[in-house]
Amino acid sequence: MEFYLQGFLMCFGLIATIGAQNTFLLKQGLLKQHVFLLCVLFFLCDCLLFSLGVFGLGHFISQEKIASVVLALVGGLFLLVYGGRAFLSAYRNNTALALEQGASLSLKRTLAIALALTFLNPHVYLDTIVIVGGIAGTLSIEDKTAFLLGTISASGLWFFSVGYGARLLIPFFQKPITWRLLDFCTGIIMWFIAYGLIKYALA
């Protein structure tokens, strides 16, 4: 139980931030579009990445400078584009963004964006593989298993809370200005993260 709680608290501290995944999930939750499948997808991705981290791949990646630089550059460029689209959306959007008339994304496009936000975001690898993998590196196999169960429990709780808890905010998002503010904040966050990644890659 000690290592389960350690894994749970560690994961919760890492993912309970405003980032690309959480922002996208929040927006889809507000629109009530593909929420369940999106939560399941993010959860399964975390299960995979945490497993890789806990059972050793994190140590290998942390030692490979070229791999980390390429990952940072690709992720930074992706987040620049994603952030730019968010700024454009904030500029163009009007009353058509009301929840009843929200622009709907197809399931295929929703899942594609979710996968890109996950696997093209180096911060995801840093959190789930390098940091968590480094912490779990000194544990025994039994303790690693408990630690892993703790991390994936926290992940599932967080994503489903964000996806379905977003509906409590619906009264605020019935005003188009709130959508514009969300898009604008999303753009700032994405560009801020991208700046750090590209700076790291070019250093």
Side-chain angles (χ1 to χ4, degrees):
M1 180 59 69
E2 174 186 355
F3 294 103
Y4 174 88
L5 290 176
Q6 183 181 354
F8 183 93
L9 294 175
M10 172 58 62
C11 174
F12 203 85
L14 290 173
I15 65 176
T17 57
I18 299 176
Q21 284 182 318
N22 292 330
T23 302
F24 183 65
L25 179 57
L26 173 63
K27 189 168 186 177
Q28 294 305 109
L30 289 166
L31 291 171
K32 300 182 181 180
Q33 293 177 2
H34 317 300
V35 179
F36 178 76
L37 291 178
L38 200 55
C39 291
V40 170
L41 178 63
F42 282 145
F43 171 67
L44 291 178
C45 289
D46 264 10
C47 288
L48 171 63
L49 294 171
F50 279 131
S51 297
L52 291 175
V54 169
F55 290 105
L57 191 56
H59 176 74
F60 170 77
I61 291 180
S62 65
Q63 301 299 316
E64 291 294 325
K65 179 65 176 178
I66 295 179
S68 62
V69 167
V70 171
L71 188 61
L73 185 59
V74 172
L77 292 175
F78 169 77
L79 291 178
L80 278 178
V81 174
Y82 188 85
R85 291 175 62 88
F87 283 126
L88 185 62
S89 178
Y91 174 74
R92 289 181 174 177
N93 284 338
N94 49 37
T95 54
L97 267 182
L99 288 175
E100 298 84 1
Q101 302 170 340
S104 178
L105 292 176
S106 67
L107 176 59
K108 182 178 180 180
R109 186 177 179 187
T110 297
L111 297 182
I113 292 175
L115 289 172
L117 290 175
T118 299
F119 293 109
L120 292 181
N121 184 358
H123 279 269
V124 171
Y125 297 97
L126 178 63
D127 291 346
T128 60
I129 295 183
V130 178
I131 295 178
V132 171
I135 293 173
T138 59
L139 302 179
S140 66
I141 294 298
E142 293 78 9
D143 292 339
K144 283 183 178 180
T145 301
F147 185 86
L148 176 62
L149 290 175
T151 61
I152 61 179
S153 296
S155 173
L157 176 63
W158 173 257
F159 285 127
F160 279 93
S161 296
V162 171
Y164 287 98
R167 299 182 182 185
L168 299 176
L169 301 175
I170 285 178
F172 299 99
F173 282 87
Q174 287 177 332
K175 298 179 179 180
I177 184 62
T178 311
W179 280 107
R180 287 188 170 187
L181 288 174
L182 177 61
D183 284 328
F184 183 75
C185 291
T186 298
I188 291 177
I189 293 168
M190 296 306 103
W191 277 16
F192 179 77
I193 296 174
Y195 169 76
L197 294 173
I198 294 175
K199 182 180 179 180
Y200 168 80
L202 299 180

